[in-house]
Amino acid sequence: MPESRCLQGIWSSPWIFIFAASGSAVGLGNIWKFPYVLGENGGGAFLVVYCLCLLLVGLPVLIAEVALGRTVRSNPIDTVNDLSERRIVHPAWVLVPWLAGITGFLILTFYSVIAGWSIAYLDRAVTGEFNNITQVGASSMFNELLATPSEMLLWHSVFMGLVVLTVGQSVTRGLSAVVRILLPMLVVTLVLLACYSMMIGNMSEALNFMFRWSWQNITFDVVLAAVGLALFSLSVGMGAMFAYGAYMSKRMSIARACSIVVGVDLLVALLAGLVIFPLVFSFDIDVQAGPSLTFVSLPIIFGNLLGGQFFAGVFFVLLVVAALTSAISMLELFVAWLHEKFYIARLKAALLMGLAVWFVGIAVLLSLNHWDSKLMYGLNLFELLDKFTSLILLPVGAILLSVLVAWFIPRSMLQNEMIAKQTNHFQWWYKTLKYISIPAMIVITLAGWIGA
Ligand code: TRP
């Protein structure tokens, strides 16, 4: 049997898990969210904190999610139900996978709108609208898109259609084959763009901004933003990686596979930063611009680049596919559950969930124009969902999931899951999760909320 063939839903080659999980991790979080959150939170100092969060919070929680998924090989809701029937955990823990499913659902409602922006930009790229564009032109192009709900609705619908079709087919099929080609292409394209951006942009100021450390920028708000971004970018805290763990071959070291996923995720985010910040500083774009930062900067690079139309086309196709391989992991939890529990066909379940997401997504895209009212804390629905999921739901989900794994699931059950040879990996991970990740997440989340 070829190494990569899927046998009863179990991926036999370790690389297949790595590709599938990287496909979920690498997405708009790296190319859209990372640069703007880095911009908003002051650059270098944030980056150091972010790397620490990836290592001390993101990686241990990712391992916890994957290990639990591989141990039980079922969807998170049935898993917790089953554990409570066996009296291993209290039935109230079933709230955790429900919360996770709802988080994924809510993230997808705005994620799909942003993926829609990427398709809209793909359309503009291939029709040559970026040619010789100026900073003012790029800003007004983006503002025009935001002011045209019908166009956003069209692309949001196209994207959700793609998500439903892909999730409906079952995630195992074809996913890692796509990511295997996509990821190297994305990395190579980003490296080329970063080189060009540093040539035409302000490289020294960009490097200074991204990599210079300064203590005074660090507050708990900033640290919470880093935790939220780390969880978002690694797709942890809502059971998405749980599903991939369930498909992972027993022969593979979970710790090693997850470390590779974290490395790839950070690499892509850093490259995106190196593409965007040189332009931000030489074209006088506001570094604190927020969610528009990536979409205002990118057309400028393509508009000035020889063969830019072609490169822009390739780049936005890659971005849309990267968004798709992430988006499917957000629906997977409920779709798998509906399918396994109620025997609803996957496609039907995906359609049901997809329609609900699509519907809420319409409210999200309207909140960027006609319905731009501030609902709470001076934020509109789009901003509220973006912040609420990253700063509240994902950290809370990650804390609960980690507490469940570290304190309630029997240690022996988890230990069997880590390959015997790697007992030291297990010790490291288990202690870090228990004594560093969980307390750190609790303190940071509470302090961040209070605004300390
Ligand atoms: N990690 C993805 C990105 O960077 C987004 C994502 C996919 C996600 N699945 C998730 C975020 C689950 C949180 C939870 O674009």
Side-chain angles (χ1 to χ4, degrees):
M1 193 186 83
E3 261 282 274
S4 59
R5 188 155 334 134
C6 164
L7 182 69
Q8 290 165 356
I10 296 173
W11 294 342
S12 54
S13 156
W15 285 101
I16 301 187
F17 167 79
I18 292 175
F19 279 119
S22 306
S24 168
V26 173
L28 296 169
N30 306 62
I31 290 163
W32 160 74
K33 196 164 170 132
F34 172 79
Y36 101 68
V37 179
L38 188 69
E40 274 182 348
N41 290 288
F46 178 83
L47 188 59
V48 174
V49 178
Y50 178 65
C51 290
L52 284 175
C53 290
L54 280 181
L55 213 64
L56 296 178
V57 174
L59 180 61
V61 182
L62 176 61
I63 295 177
E65 214 172 303
V66 173
L68 189 60
R70 189 166 81 170
T71 315
V72 294
R73 294 199 190 280
S74 172
N75 66 72
I77 298 178
D78 283 342
T79 297
V80 180
N81 275 333
D82 183 55
L83 289 171
S84 84
E85 270 163 28
R86 288 158 57 194
R87 297 182 183 281
I88 295 177
V89 299
H90 191 273
W93 280 101
V94 79
L95 283 175
V96 178
W98 272 100
L99 178 77
I102 293 167
T103 308
F105 180 95
L106 289 178
I107 292 177
L108 191 52
T109 60
F110 69 86
Y111 201 84
S112 170
V113 173
I114 300 151
W117 296 351
S118 313
I119 310 182
Y121 269 51
L122 171 62
D123 181 44
R124 284 164 176 66
V126 293
T127 51
E129 283 183 44
F130 294 162
N131 293 348
N132 299 320
I133 202 164
T134 57
Q135 191 264 329
V136 177
S139 298
S140 61
M141 177 184 279
F142 184 70
N143 290 334
E144 256 167 51
L145 176 64
L146 290 193
T148 322
S150 54
E151 193 189 353
M152 282 197 284
L153 176 62
L154 170 70
W155 301 127
H156 162 60
S157 313
V158 168
F159 186 76
M160 278 313 297
L162 291 172
V163 173
V164 166
L165 285 179
T166 323
V167 179
Q169 297 296 315
S170 140
V171 280
T172 51
R173 209 178 299 158
L175 171 61
S176 75
V178 171
V179 180
R180 190 183 286 249
I181 302 169
L182 165 95
L183 257 185
M185 277 181 77
L186 188 64
V187 170
V188 171
T189 314
L190 284 172
V191 169
L192 292 177
L193 290 177
C195 292
Y196 185 70
S197 171
M198 288 197 260
M199 267 161 57
I200 65 165
N202 190 339
M203 177 172 91
S204 60
E205 210 168 321
L207 294 179
N208 206 6
F209 177 76
M210 281 179 72
F211 299 109
R212 205 196 51 215
W213 165 260
S214 101
W215 266 110
Q216 74 240 38
N217 295 333
I218 303 296
T219 59
F220 270 106
D221 290 10
V222 172
V223 184
L224 179 58
V227 169
L229 183 64
L231 298 174
F232 186 95
S233 193
L234 291 178
S235 311
V236 292
M238 60 124 314
M241 289 296 186
F242 188 102
Y244 293 130
Y247 295 121
M248 188 191 208
S249 148
K250 287 272 183 200
R251 277 183 294 146
M252 165 110 229
S253 151
I254 296 180
R256 189 171 308 151
C258 292
S259 310
I260 296 176
V261 174
V262 173
V264 170
D265 191 66
L266 178 62
L267 175 73
V268 175
L270 286 177
L271 286 173
L274 290 175
V275 173
I276 285 163
F277 286 108
L279 299 173
V280 165
F281 289 109
S282 76
F283 288 86
D284 233 11
I285 297 169
D286 179 11
V287 77
Q288 305 239 2
S292 65
L293 192 69
T294 298
F295 286 87
V296 173
S297 315
L298 282 176
I300 299 176
I301 189 166
F302 294 120
N304 286 290
L305 178 66
L306 189 69
Q309 205 162 325
F310 170 76
F311 277 112
V314 171
F315 176 81
F316 282 106
V317 168
L318 292 174
L319 185 60
V320 173
V321 181
L324 185 63
T325 57
S326 299
I328 54 178
S329 64
M330 298 174 202
L331 267 200
E332 176 61 20
L333 189 148
F334 277 145
V335 170
W337 178 66
L338 288 170
H339 178 63
E340 285 164 21
K341 177 103 183 167
F342 302 102
Y343 306 107
I344 299 177
R346 278 191 69 100
L347 191 59
K348 220 188 227 174
L351 196 62
L352 213 73
M353 294 306 303
L355 266 177
V357 171
W358 176 78
F359 203 68
V360 182
I362 296 178
V364 173
L365 65 88
L366 286 176
S367 77
L368 296 166
N369 37 68
H370 294 316
W371 185 44
D372 187 12
S373 48
K374 309 293 176 209
L375 296 178
M376 247 190 259
Y377 307 110
L379 303 172
N380 64 26
L381 181 66
F382 169 80
E383 295 158 339
L384 208 59
L385 282 172
D386 184 11
K387 297 259 185 279
F388 182 63
T389 49
S390 278
L391 305 182
I392 298 180
L393 289 181
L394 283 176
V396 170
I399 291 170
L400 292 175
L401 183 117
S402 309
V403 170
L404 175 69
V405 172
W407 297 99
F408 291 91
I409 304 282
R411 187 190 161 110
S412 58
M413 207 166 137
L414 295 164
Q415 205 156 10
N416 287 339
E417 217 32 68
M418 301 274 182
I419 300 173
K421 273 189 296 196
Q422 278 139 1
T423 34
N424 57 341
H425 283 187
F426 178 81
Q427 296 293 352
W428 269 102
W429 162 70
Y430 202 59
K431 291 211 173 101
T432 312
L433 185 68
K434 253 186 174 167
Y435 303 116
I436 299 180
S437 315
I438 296 175
M441 281 192 287
I442 294 176
V443 171
I444 293 167
T445 308
L446 291 178
W449 288 351
I450 299 166

